[in-house]
Amino acid sequence: GAGVSQTPSNKVTEKGKYVELRCDPISGHTALYWYRQSLGQGPEFLIYFQGTGAADDSGLPNDRFFAVRPEGSVSTLKIQRTERGDSAVYLCASSLTGLAGAFFGQGTRLTVV
Amino acid sequence: ELKVEQNPLFLSMQEGKNYTIYCNYSTTSDRLYWYRQDPGKSLESLFVLLSNGAVKQEGRLMASLDTKARLSTLHITAAVHDLSATYFCAVVSNYGGSQGNLIFGKGTKLSVKP
């Protein structure tokens, strides 16, 4: 597609459940980023991929969060044992090389009840 | 650790007026981005500033970068209602030598009133 695509757009889950959020980056973009944005705040960095490998995962808040990008294109953010504090909009972005500006998807709004 | 601070966080302007939003960052970086976000929407890239002294303009918005002062400004000229949005600056963080992730400020919520 023409832009960064994220699915689902909305996800409601019960506390303690496992969720997967998907990101399809712009074709050919080698760099992929995951961010989390709470209401009224700026995006908070989670993890950055360059190709298939995680170049920087220092933003993942704890070991319940994990992300993969096995073929260097689509990425999945996985959250285990969800907590109410995980509720936020999860944004994915991609860029051509990591040096150019990043293009953001529409986000997945995760609500943990 | 790289920190990015924007001010003001809230800005209410009248149409036709000028104003400047400031973005300070704490460690050396030579790349800075400005984004716009409308309520309930994702982030739209406005400017990429790649070197000291860089200045870019698009319509009523002009962004500049002073890497020595670790400061970027976003200047709004003759504001119109359509500029109402939240504006974020983001700075590249180097980590382990990689060309790394963007660290965002908290955003400036701009409201332009008639």
Side-chain angles (χ1 to χ4, degrees):
Chain A
V4 178
S5 175
Q6 292 186 246
T7 54
S9 54
N10 280 285
K11 176 72 176 178
V12 180
T13 190
E14 291 182 346
K15 181 174 176 294
K17 298 289 189 185
Y18 168 83
V19 296
E20 289 190 353
L21 312 180
R22 177 186 168 106
C23 173
D24 277 277
I26 293 171
S27 179
H29 279 194
T30 59
L32 184 147
Y33 311 81
W34 282 100
Y35 287 83
R36 176 169 72 175
Q37 187 175 25
S38 301
L39 192 63
Q41 300 293 315
E44 173 194 11
F45 169 72
L46 296 177
I47 187 169
Y48 156 56
F49 287 91
Q50 186 64 257
T52 60
D56 182 354
D57 63 359
S58 62
L60 295 176
N62 51 59
D63 62 5
R64 296 187 296 106
F65 288 74
F66 190 70
V68 295
R69 194 185 185 200
E71 298 178 357
S73 178
V74 171
S75 176
T76 305
L77 178 66
K78 309 180 181 197
I79 310 173
Q80 298 177 321
R81 304 184 303 280
T82 51
E83 299 177 356
R84 292 198 179 88
D86 299 335
S87 297
V89 175
Y90 288 81
L91 294 167
C92 176
S94 71
S95 69
L96 191 56
T97 63
L99 299 179
F103 294 87
F104 281 79
Q106 294 298 310
T108 293
R109 181 176 298 278
L110 175 66
T111 304
V112 182
V113 297
Chain B
E1 181 189 351
L2 175 59
K3 294 186 190 295
V4 180
E5 291 188 356
Q6 286 182 239
N7 72 84
L9 298 181
F10 297 93
L11 177 56
S12 181
M13 295 177 66
Q14 278 193 307
E15 281 192 328
K17 298 292 188 183
N18 304 333
Y19 209 84
T20 300
I21 299 170
Y22 296 89
C23 174
N24 290 89
Y25 52 99
S26 60
T27 64
T28 301
S29 178
D30 57 5
R31 281 177 285 138
L32 187 142
Y33 304 83
W34 284 96
Y35 286 88
R36 169 182 171 143
Q37 188 175 39
D38 291 287
K41 305 291 186 184
S42 192
L43 289 94
E44 173 192 352
S45 178
L46 293 175
F47 300 108
V48 179
L49 301 169
L50 298 177
S51 61
N52 187 42
V55 177
K56 291 199 174 177
Q57 183 162 5
E58 179 76 31
R60 300 173 188 274
L61 301 177
M62 183 173 72
S64 66
L65 177 62
D66 181 342
T67 58
K68 294 178 182 176
R70 298 177 188 161
L71 171 69
S72 179
T73 61
L74 181 66
H75 187 72
I76 303 154
T77 302
V80 294
H81 179 70
D82 285 352
L83 290 179
S84 297
T86 299
Y87 293 84
F88 292 96
C89 66
V91 180
V92 171
S93 169
N94 289 327
Y95 179 81
S98 69
Q99 299 300 316
N101 63 76
L102 296 175
I103 305 298
F104 282 79
K106 290 184 183 292
T108 297
K109 186 171 181 179
L110 172 65
S111 175
V112 181
K113 301 182 186 304

